[in-house]
């Protein structure tokens, strides 16, 4: 059927990707194509419905911590430009579970997404906009043309500058239409817990739960149902005292009695979205801030006095004696931190900030959004969610080393039991050590509780049909699980229940690999300073580029750290598939030479780019961090 034909009153027009349009000059925004719309009161929308507004497309997936950062970053912009800007979340899933429409509906509520969301399960709109990373932001002007693209987080000031210019231009042209957008909030639910995160057992026998979406903590009697008290007002905030406020708290760690007596608080709380650690005194419910500045870490030192050192999305916590403090799963930059309550210091414990899976010495290891920790005595167990991995830390000589029990990398997942080297998980968020020394894994996106037996190196399944298990604790020998999407605690593993074996198929992320030529390839990170700013070289290079690969021998040349945003890569012969890990950053400063200390802002993005090497593929790989690729 020829394009341009009218069928049933609908004009069929070609779907032309952004990449194709770049070769034709000005880029018209592609149509928004997906399965359903959320937060619109049931109305299906098209791009023409946004004509006259500035549209910000936010390509996200709900497993991705950087995407969650961007949702929070956009909130003040949405309020500032409420009558001229419409944000549209385009949810393009990484994991199979994220393509479940009910799971997406839950995630939109869980993370308080207050704008329309397009469900893009087949990554159709993702591909039409030539997106290569989560998150990516695309700005469309009131006439329907793409005017700005930005990958990663930390783009608020750049977006403000771009939007301000676009609004002024189109107000003058008469093409800007002010007024309310199409967002329709869903009805507010009523449950005691709302998307709880983690649970720990207290010395009293009671259970303490982080009630993440209700921005508070809840103490239950041992039955896990009878509420003793709620700690927190339920409002999003960061106030200390006996009427504290939190922002999506998650991890909890009880201190040893002697440490708690010395420091004056009993439990450390990961106040995730506030980028803080908080201390809870159980006797009277008083909360104090222990670590973090309230600002998200982006670059520079992450070690020093705890209250002067920024953190980034602490997701879980565990007191681990060999480390001498509280280990922090710093999901926001793919590292582990360490907080010492006795000295009030925090420091990097493990990781490099590169997202991936690499074992070895703690300071050289790669992590991928570690989200669960459990003290196993000589081992600290970890659920490394984005690599669907179960890993551990152990003492190694005078330092520490990282090992992997289950998991192979960023793009492989599934539900399969058996030898650990062949077993598969799907985005686990929690872990607990069972009385016999085996490890229970909250296999979140499989809705299952899995068991790893170190003695046999085998994985089995203990329970299924658990609604997004995200944390667990052992209470009197019984496993208590946070069924997060069911908004309750459950005991899904009855005493004496035998484990079962599930033989599932291996799965891979749907995201299409990027085709590149063999031999020499130019990798170019595209960054155009936002209006009113420039790259300021007065104090040295303002850009940084770090490249590694999986497998490591994929790159014959080009790996390592440099200051240019363009790098010549030489790919090894005989390797057809791999992943390029690219970390780029650029500091842009106010373009005013008369100001002695201009305001500067750091933009940073971490890509894990799956590539296929094939003859005839392009010999240039552009990655847009900010601006438009020429």
């Amino acid at each position: 059927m020829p394009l341009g034909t009218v069928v049933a009153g609908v004009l069929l027009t070609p779907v032309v990707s952004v990449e194709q349009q770049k070769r034709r000059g000005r880029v018209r925004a592609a149509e928004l194509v997906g399965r359903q719309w959320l937060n619109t009161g049931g109305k299906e929308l098209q791009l023409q419905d946004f004509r006259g507004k500035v549209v910000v497309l936010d390509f996200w997936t709900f497993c991705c911590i950087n995407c969650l950062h961007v949702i929070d970053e956009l909130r003040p912009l949405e309020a500032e430009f409420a009558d001229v800007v419409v944000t549209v979340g385009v949810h393009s899933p990484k994991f199979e579970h994220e393509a479940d429409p009910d799971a997406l509906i839950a995630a939109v509520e869980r993370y308080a997404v207050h704008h329309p969301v397009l469900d893009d399960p087949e990554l159709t709109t993702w591909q039409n906009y030539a997106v290569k990373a989560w998150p990516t932001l695309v700005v469309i002007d009131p006439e329907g043309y793409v005017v700005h693209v930005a990958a990663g987080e930390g783009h608020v000031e750049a977006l403000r500058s771009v939007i301000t210019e676009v609004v002024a231009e189109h107000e003058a042209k008469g093409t800007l239409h002010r007024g309310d957008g199409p967002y329709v909030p869903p009805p507010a639910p009523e449950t005691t817990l709302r998307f709880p995160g983690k649970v720990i057992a207290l010395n009293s026998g009671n259970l303490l739960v982080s009630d993440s979406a209700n921005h508070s903590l809840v103490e239950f009697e041992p039955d896990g149902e009878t509420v003793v008290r709620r700690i927190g007002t339920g409002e999003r905030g960061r106030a200390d005292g006996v009427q504290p406020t939190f922002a999506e708290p998650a991890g909890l760690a009880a201190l040893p009695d002697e440490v708690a007596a010395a420091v004056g608080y009993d439990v450390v709380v990961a106040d995730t979205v506030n980028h803080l650690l908080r201390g809870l005194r159980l006797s009277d419910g008083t909360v104090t801030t222990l670590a973090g500045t309230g600002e998200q870490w982006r670059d520079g030192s992450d070690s020093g006095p705890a209250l002067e050192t920024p953190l980034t999305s602490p997701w879980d916590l565990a007191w681990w004696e060999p480390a001498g403090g509280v280990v922090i799963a710093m999901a926001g930059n793919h590292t582990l931190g360490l907080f010492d309550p006795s000295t009030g210091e925090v420091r990097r414990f493990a990781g490099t900030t590169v997202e991936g899976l690499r074992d070895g010495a703690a300071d050289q290891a790669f992590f991928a959004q570690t989200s669960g920790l459990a003290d196993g005595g000589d081992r600290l167990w970890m659920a490394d969610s984005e690599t669907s991995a179960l890993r551990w830390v152990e003492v190694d000589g005078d330092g520490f080393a990282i090992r992997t029990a289950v998991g192979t990398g960023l793009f492989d997942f599934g539900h399969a039991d058996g030898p650990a080297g062949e077993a598969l998980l799907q985005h686990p968020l929690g872990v607990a050590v069972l009385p016999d020394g085996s490890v229970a894994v909250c296999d979140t996106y499989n809705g299952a509780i899995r068991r790893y037996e170190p003695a046999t190196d085998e994985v089995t399944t203990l329970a299924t049909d658990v609604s997004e298990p995200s944390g667990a604790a052992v209470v009197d020998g019984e496993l208590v699980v946070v069924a997060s999407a069911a908004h309750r605690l459950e005991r899904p593993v009855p005493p004496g229940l035998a484990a079962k074996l599930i033989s599932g198929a291996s799965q891979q992320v749907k995201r299409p690999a990027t085709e590149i030529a063999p031999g020499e390839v130019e990798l170019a990170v595209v960054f155009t300073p936002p209006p009113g700013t420039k790259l300021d070289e007065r104090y040295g290079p303002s850009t940084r580029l770090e490249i590694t690969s999986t497998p490591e021998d994929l790159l014959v040349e080009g790996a390592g750290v440099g200051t240019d945003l363009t790098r010549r890569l030489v790919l090894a012969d005989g390797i057809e598939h791999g992943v390029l890990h690219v970390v780029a950053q650029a500091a842009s400063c106010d373009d005013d030479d008369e100001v002695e200390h201009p305001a500067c802002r750091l933009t940073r993005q971490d890509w894990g780019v799956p590539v296929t090497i094939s003859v005839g593929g392009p010999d240039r790989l552009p990655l847009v961090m900010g601006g438009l690729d020429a």
Side-chain angles (χ1 to χ4, degrees), residues 5 19 33 40 47 64 98 155 202 244 250 272 283 359 369 381 478 514 522 551 554 581 602:
T5 303
E19 202 65 54
V33 180
T40 64
L47 198 60
C64 163
E98 294 174 296
H155 294 288
L202 303 176
T272 304
S283 61
D359 289 344
Q369 208 170 301
W381 293 95
E478 188 176 19
T514 298
E522 180 188 70
L554 171 63
H581 305 282
L602 183 73

Side-chain angles (χ1 to χ4, degrees), residues 81-278:
F81 296 99
D83 63 336
V84 291
V85 171
V86 175
T87 301
V88 174
V90 181
H91 187 266
S92 306
K94 174 181 176 181
F95 289 99
E96 179 189 32
H97 176 70
E98 294 174 296
D100 182 322
D102 292 332
L104 176 57
I105 290 169
V108 167
E109 182 202 335
R110 180 196 298 263
Y111 298 116
V113 179
H114 293 161
H115 51 247
V117 173
L118 173 65
D119 181 6
D120 180 30
E122 300 300 324
L123 276 68
T124 303
T125 299
W126 162 288
Q127 293 182 71
N128 286 341
Y129 279 85
V131 176
K132 289 185 172 65
W134 293 281
T136 290
L137 299 164
V138 177
V139 180
I140 302 171
D141 73 14
E143 293 181 301
Y145 289 94
V146 174
V147 293
H148 186 76
V149 176
E153 51 185 287
H155 294 288
V156 171
E157 292 305 321
L159 287 175
R160 179 175 283 111
S161 297
V162 170
I163 290 169
T164 299
E165 282 202 350
V166 171
V167 167
E169 175 190 345
H170 287 272
E171 188 126 60
K173 290 173 64 175
T175 50
L176 183 75
H177 300 160
R178 296 183 179 271
D180 293 336
Y183 169 65
V184 178
E190 292 185 11
T191 54
T192 300
L193 298 174
R194 205 70 195 163
F195 298 107
K198 304 291 183 182
V199 59
I200 59 170
L202 303 176
N203 289 340
S204 64
N206 288 348
L207 302 174
L208 185 66
V209 179
S210 54
D211 191 8
S212 300
N214 282 329
H215 312 297
S216 56
L217 313 177
V218 178
E219 184 178 347
F220 289 95
E221 291 185 2
D223 62 7
E225 297 180 357
T226 305
V227 175
V228 175
R229 58 177 167 169
R230 180 176 292 275
I231 299 165
T233 66
E235 297 296 319
R236 186 186 290 261
R238 50 175 294 190
D240 285 340
V242 294
Q243 292 292 321
T245 53
F246 302 90
E248 299 178 31
L252 305 165
L255 298 178
D257 291 343
E258 64 277 11
V259 177
V263 299
Y265 53 89
D266 308 280
V267 177
V268 180
V269 181
D271 194 5
T272 304
V273 175
N274 277 329
H275 310 294
L276 299 173
L277 300 186
R278 317 286 292 281

Side-chain angles (χ1 to χ4, degrees), residues 212-476:
S212 300
N214 282 329
H215 312 297
S216 56
L217 313 177
V218 178
E219 184 178 347
F220 289 95
E221 291 185 2
D223 62 7
E225 297 180 357
T226 305
V227 175
V228 175
R229 58 177 167 169
R230 180 176 292 275
I231 299 165
T233 66
E235 297 296 319
R236 186 186 290 261
R238 50 175 294 190
D240 285 340
V242 294
Q243 292 292 321
T245 53
F246 302 90
E248 299 178 31
L252 305 165
L255 298 178
D257 291 343
E258 64 277 11
V259 177
V263 299
Y265 53 89
D266 308 280
V267 177
V268 180
V269 181
D271 194 5
T272 304
V273 175
N274 277 329
H275 310 294
L276 299 173
L277 300 186
R278 317 286 292 281
L280 167 64
R281 187 166 63 216
L282 290 169
S283 61
D284 60 2
T286 297
V287 170
T288 55
T289 298
L290 308 175
T293 64
E295 297 296 321
Q296 181 188 341
W297 178 91
R298 296 200 186 279
D299 190 38
S301 176
D302 53 4
S303 301
L307 289 171
E308 300 173 14
T309 304
L311 311 178
T312 174
S313 295
W315 204 278
D316 202 10
L317 306 167
W319 174 272
W320 192 44
E321 194 62 41
V326 177
V327 178
I328 311 165
M330 207 78 76
N333 67 356
H334 315 296
T335 65
L336 301 180
L338 182 67
F339 170 64
D340 185 340
S342 62
T343 65
E345 298 281 319
V346 67
R347 66 177 177 86
R348 173 87 59 85
F349 179 60
T352 67
T353 77
V354 173
E355 183 181 18
L357 191 154
R358 186 169 78 182
D359 289 344
D363 63 349
Q364 297 297 312
F366 293 172
F367 300 94
Q369 208 170 301
T370 306
S371 301
L373 300 171
D375 177 9
D378 60 344
R379 292 180 176 181
L380 177 70
W381 293 95
M382 305 179 294
D384 212 26
S385 63
E386 284 292 282
T387 51
S388 297
L390 173 66
R391 307 175 74 184
W392 77 86
V393 188
E394 64 184 14
V395 177
D396 183 30
D398 295 331
F400 297 92
I402 312 302
R403 309 285 183 236
T404 298
V406 181
T408 60
L410 283 167
F411 301 103
D412 298 298
F413 64 93
H415 188 163
D417 292 324
E422 302 172 10
L424 296 166
L425 308 169
Q426 186 182 181
H427 197 78
L429 291 178
V431 63
V433 178
L434 298 172
D436 64 358
S438 63
V439 181
V441 181
C442 294
D443 191 6
T444 309
Y445 287 2
N446 280 325
I449 305 300
R450 313 288 291 282
R451 177 177 179 265
Y452 171 68
E453 173 54 73
T456 62
D457 200 34
E458 296 276 334
V459 175
T460 53
T461 296
L462 293 174
T464 54
D465 299 320
V466 184
S467 189
E468 293 193 11
S470 61
V474 176
V475 182
D476 295 328

